[in-house]
């Protein structure tokens, strides 16, 4: 009795930064081990689907028929398989997500190809979980600290005697330099942390550039000149204004 079976493997990645050379190399890697593969590269622009036997053929087709797409490619896919279907690889590229499907009667080849493509996409910034969850967690932390600050500045103490008010005023005056310094330190640290997270996420954002290459290197090297200038200028401006902010907060709240 003949047993018909195959191994199916799916891997999903987010935040991949892929340029023309990266895509060409990945497509070439994907079809290794598939003898005389049937290859189809395709994309959908608007309501029209374009396809060909290579990435360059599809790019030329899109440039001729839909030049308005330019660098703004939103999707690209590869299907490579044998005539009888013993081995097949499908890669679907979108700006925010990359899906790899591998199928074959040889489980060793399937898992081997999966590991190779996973390693390559990871080296191009790919992660297994959607960054939207990290953004939600960051927003929750931000909301918590903002709420805590509002509570601190708007809380009201109970009715106090004149003597208690005078004592607290004297203690506040004695501690004011230390409070201002502590306030300035935490505020500067918060600004630097938020700026660092924003710039790192900006540099690590998903990219799909079919007609050119993406910047490589560290997250700082991938930032544009304007973003680097902002990264340097914002902390300096924040530091210059911290004294005024601390003084204003003290005058308003009396703390």
């Amino acid at each position: 009795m003949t047993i018909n079976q195959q191994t199916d493997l799916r891997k999903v990645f987010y935040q991949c930064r892929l340029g023309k050379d990266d895509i060409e190399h990945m497509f070439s890697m994907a079809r290794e081990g598939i003898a005389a593969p049937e290859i189809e590269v395709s994309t959908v622009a608007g309501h029209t689907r374009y396809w060909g036997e290579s990435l360059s053929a599809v790019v030329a087709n899109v440039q001729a028929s839909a030049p308005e797409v330019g660098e703004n490619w939103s999707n690209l896919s590869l299907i490579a398989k044998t005539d009888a279907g013993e081995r097949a690889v499908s890669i679907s590229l979108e700006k925010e997500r990359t899906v790899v499907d591998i199928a074959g009667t040889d489980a060793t080849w399937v898992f081997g190809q999966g590991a190779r493509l996973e390693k390559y996409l990871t080296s191009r910034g790919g992660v297994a979980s959607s960054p939207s969850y990290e953004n939600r967690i960051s927003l929750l932390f931000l909301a918590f600290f903002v709420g805590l600050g509002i509570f601190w500045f708007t809380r009201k103490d109970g009715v106090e005697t004149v003597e208690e008010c005078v004592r607290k005023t004297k203690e506040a005056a004695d501690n004011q330099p230390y409070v201002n310094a502590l306030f300035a330190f935490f505020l500067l640290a918060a600004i630097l942390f938020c700026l660092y997270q924003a710039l790192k996420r900006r540099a690590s954002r998903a990219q799909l550039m079919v007609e050119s290459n993406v910047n490589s290197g560290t997250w700082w090297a991938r930032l544009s000149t304007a973003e680097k200038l902002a990264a340097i200028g914002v902390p300096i401006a924040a530091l210059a204004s911290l004294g005024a902010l601390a003084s204003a907060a003290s005058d308003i709240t009396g703390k």
Side-chain angles (χ1 to χ4, degrees), residues 181-201:
L182 188 62
F183 176 81
F185 171 78
F186 281 116
L187 184 57
L188 180 60
I191 291 173
L192 291 176
F193 177 77
C194 292
L195 182 64
Y196 167 77
Q197 290 293 331
L199 290 173
K200 189 173 181 180
R201 289 182 183 179

Side-chain angles (χ1 to χ4, degrees), residues 85-100:
E86 298 94 344
R87 293 181 176 183
V89 175
S90 172
I91 300 177
S92 176
L93 304 177
E94 299 175 356
K95 284 191 174 181
E96 298 297 333
R97 189 176 74 154
T98 298
V99 181
V100 177

Side-chain angles (χ1 to χ4, degrees), residues 64-145:
S65 304
E68 68 277 4
V69 173
E71 276 288 352
N72 192 30
W73 288 61
S74 61
N75 63 88
L76 185 69
S77 65
L78 165 74
I79 297 176
K81 60 182 180 180
T82 58
D83 291 335
E86 298 94 344
R87 293 181 176 183
V89 175
S90 172
I91 300 177
S92 176
L93 304 177
E94 299 175 356
K95 284 191 174 181
E96 298 297 333
R97 189 176 74 154
T98 298
V99 181
V100 177
D101 288 295
I102 307 173
T105 55
D106 182 356
T108 301
W109 177 82
V110 170
F111 288 108
Q113 282 294 83
R116 293 179 67 205
L117 291 170
E118 178 178 4
K119 182 179 180 180
Y120 185 75
L121 287 169
T122 300
S123 71
R124 296 302 183 271
V127 294
S129 60
S130 173
S132 61
Y133 295 109
E134 297 179 4
N135 294 336
R136 291 174 186 175
I137 293 174
S138 298
L139 288 175
L140 286 175
F141 273 107
L142 180 61
F144 170 76
F145 284 112

Side-chain angles (χ1 to χ4, degrees), residues 228-240:
K228 290 178 180 178
L229 290 175
I232 298 172
V234 170
I236 294 175
L239 184 61

Side-chain angles (χ1 to χ4, degrees), residues 171-186:
E171 291 176 353
D174 294 338
N175 296 328
Q176 192 65 41
Y178 305 104
V179 173
N180 286 347
L182 188 62
F183 176 81
F185 171 78
F186 281 116

Side-chain angles (χ1 to χ4, degrees), residues 13 15-18 22 25 29 116-127 214-217 222:
F13 303 91
Q15 283 189 268
C16 296
R17 300 184 302 276
L18 298 170
D22 302 317
H25 182 76
M29 181 189 303
R116 293 179 67 205
L117 291 170
E118 178 178 4
K119 182 179 180 180
Y120 185 75
L121 287 169
T122 300
S123 71
R124 296 302 183 271
V127 294
V214 298
N215 293 331
S216 59
R222 295 194 301 270

